[in-house]
Amino acid sequence: MTQSRRMLVLRAVVEDYIRSQEPVGSTSLTKEHNLGVSSATVRNDMAALEDEGYLIQPHTSAGRVPTEKGYRYFVDRLATVVPLSEAQRRGINSFLAGSVSLQDALQRSARLLSEITGQVAVVASPSLAKATLRHVEMVPVAMGTLLAVVITDTGRVAQHGLAVSSMPAADSIARLSGAVNEQCAGLSLSKSAETVRAIGASAGYEDVRGVAESLADAFASMALDERANELYMSGASRLAHSHSLADLAPLFDALEEQVVLMKLMSNLSEETNAAGVGVSIGSESHTPELLHASVVSSGYGRTASDPDPGEGNPAQSARDAGEPIAFVGSIGPTHMDYATTMAAVKAVARYLTAFVSERRTQD
């Protein structure tokens, strides 16, 4: 019973500190929370929590603040994150529904998430390494160069120059394009590369064999480029206005290191809790610049048939979901409002999953 009550006291300290950002004392806890015990008992529980590493007392006469361990316990108990209200979800859908393209949806998502949380929002475009081919068009742009315009299942458009020793006839290029689009639609880029090589090596395509090899190389290169995401960020200025710049300087340094940030948030989005949200607190990120920051991330773009993690059994939903094709996340101080941030990140990820799935079925 004592241990159970002690953890209720810890939760109360975390909630109050997140709200006030001031050390929390036993007297205020007793007044603000129905803990059913005296202030002296709460004070003893807080001392025990400090001994166990969940709280720390910054000054001798001050109250206590949570440590990373304290935040981690609190966040783990939020694993079954409460979804946003119906009104909030309608607001998100209304704001994002005007998106005219995937890029527009990602930009809007970053802006909306930063407004909800007051923190830095980061949204990644789908990686080409996880995309499947929808369509390719090859257009001559110079004497020895073709431009391959590649459209993926998520609506992303990539361009790649193809060097050719001699330019084949237009109808030969069109015939190769037709064969590639017919045989490669729905395949991953790496599988498409193999298929294009086979097409180029088959009878009847001798005059475009060099083009086929160049296109196959382009597909293979795209498939290997895990860093081919574009990052959309929003909210840095908002965060700067609400916190000390001295405290945030390392965080802004981390935002500049986009490759490091992308790897961290991508890994988090694939190593999620039962609600499908990954949370890294302080030193858990193994990134010195994020020592005093927390990162919340979730993957999006799985399949349209995935169950909604906000409904039913969240643990089952997480197990059923496939590998995410990209991530959406929020970065802020360790005393961020975890409940709101986790719910908002998940809601935006859910919307983007539906958006990407809808685009897949439009073609």
Side-chain angles (χ1 to χ4, degrees):
M1 178 64 184
T2 302
Q3 183 66 16
S4 176
R5 186 192 66 234
R6 192 176 294 165
M7 291 307 156
L8 289 177
V9 170
L10 172 61
R11 181 175 184 131
V13 172
V14 174
E15 289 175 347
D16 285 7
Y17 185 68
I18 285 173
R19 184 175 61 251
S20 70
Q21 293 171 39
E22 295 288 341
V24 180
S26 56
T27 303
S28 65
L29 274 186
T30 308
K31 287 179 181 178
E32 298 291 331
H33 300 269
N34 184 23
L35 297 171
V37 292
S38 68
S39 177
T41 301
V42 171
R43 190 157 49 249
N44 289 336
D45 284 340
M46 292 175 74
L49 288 167
E50 184 177 2
D51 290 340
E52 293 167 5
Y54 291 101
L55 301 176
I56 190 171
Q57 193 170 21
H59 307 292
T60 306
S61 59
R64 290 173 173 83
V65 301
T67 61
E68 279 187 19
K69 184 178 178 181
Y71 284 125
R72 173 49 63 190
Y73 180 89
F74 177 79
V75 167
D76 288 346
R77 295 311 177 274
L78 289 175
T80 52
V81 59
V82 179
L84 298 179
S85 69
E86 186 59 35
Q88 288 171 316
R89 292 176 73 169
R90 276 200 306 269
I92 290 176
N93 289 344
S94 175
F95 182 82
L96 297 178
S99 304
V100 296
S101 64
L102 176 64
Q103 181 183 36
D104 188 28
L106 299 180
Q107 288 173 331
R108 286 173 178 246
S109 296
R111 192 161 70 249
L112 176 64
L113 185 57
S114 71
E115 288 176 0
I116 293 173
T117 63
Q119 298 161 179
V120 176
V122 182
V123 183
S125 65
S127 166
L128 288 174
K130 297 175 182 177
T132 61
L133 184 69
R134 176 186 286 180
H135 187 80
V136 64
E137 198 73 40
M138 289 183 285
V139 183
V141 292
M143 287 294 292
T145 306
L146 284 164
L147 180 67
V149 181
V150 180
I151 304 174
T152 70
D153 59 326
T154 60
R156 180 153 178 203
V157 179
Q159 299 181 351
H160 207 289
L162 308 179
V164 292
S165 54
S166 61
M167 187 65 68
D171 60 340
S172 296
I173 295 173
R175 188 160 49 87
L176 175 62
S177 294
V180 171
N181 285 319
E182 180 181 344
Q183 297 183 41
C184 297
L187 298 182
S188 68
L189 291 175
S190 58
K191 191 67 178 175
S192 294
E194 297 175 12
T195 304
V196 171
R197 291 191 205 284
I199 293 172
S202 60
Y205 291 95
E206 291 83 1
D207 56 338
V208 287
R209 189 157 293 162
V211 175
E213 282 297 321
S214 292
L215 181 61
D217 289 344
F219 283 161
S221 174
M222 292 179 193
L224 290 173
D225 193 356
E226 286 287 355
R227 296 181 298 177
N229 307 67
E230 293 176 283
L231 286 186
Y232 298 86
M233 288 192 190
S234 183
S237 60
R238 185 188 304 271
L239 193 64
H241 286 126
S242 60
H243 297 83
S244 163
L245 283 175
D247 294 339
L248 293 174
L251 173 56
F252 290 130
D253 288 342
L255 295 178
E256 290 293 318
E257 296 293 332
Q258 292 198 1
V259 174
V260 174
L261 197 61
M262 188 180 296
K263 184 175 182 180
L264 169 64
M265 299 188 83
S266 181
N267 289 342
L268 270 182
S269 71
E270 296 175 9
E271 299 171 5
T272 58
N273 58 24
V277 181
V279 182
S280 172
I281 302 170
S283 64
E284 293 175 356
S285 69
H286 304 293
T287 305
E289 293 85 357
L290 295 175
L291 185 60
H292 301 294
S294 288
V295 180
V296 177
S297 183
S298 182
Y300 74 84
R302 298 179 175 99
T303 65
S305 60
D306 283 342
D308 186 338
E311 302 169 0
N313 183 335
Q316 184 63 43
S317 297
R319 285 195 298 271
D320 290 344
E323 183 185 21
I325 60 172
F327 62 81
V328 53
S330 185
I331 306 172
T334 52
H335 58 259
M336 69 165 59
D337 183 342
Y338 290 96
T340 296
T341 301
M342 291 165 68
V345 165
K346 193 60 200 170
V348 172
R350 186 182 299 122
Y351 180 89
L352 287 175
T353 293
F355 184 87
V356 169
S357 296
E358 184 179 341
R359 292 183 69 85
R360 281 174 171 156
T361 59
Q362 285 176 350
D363 200 48

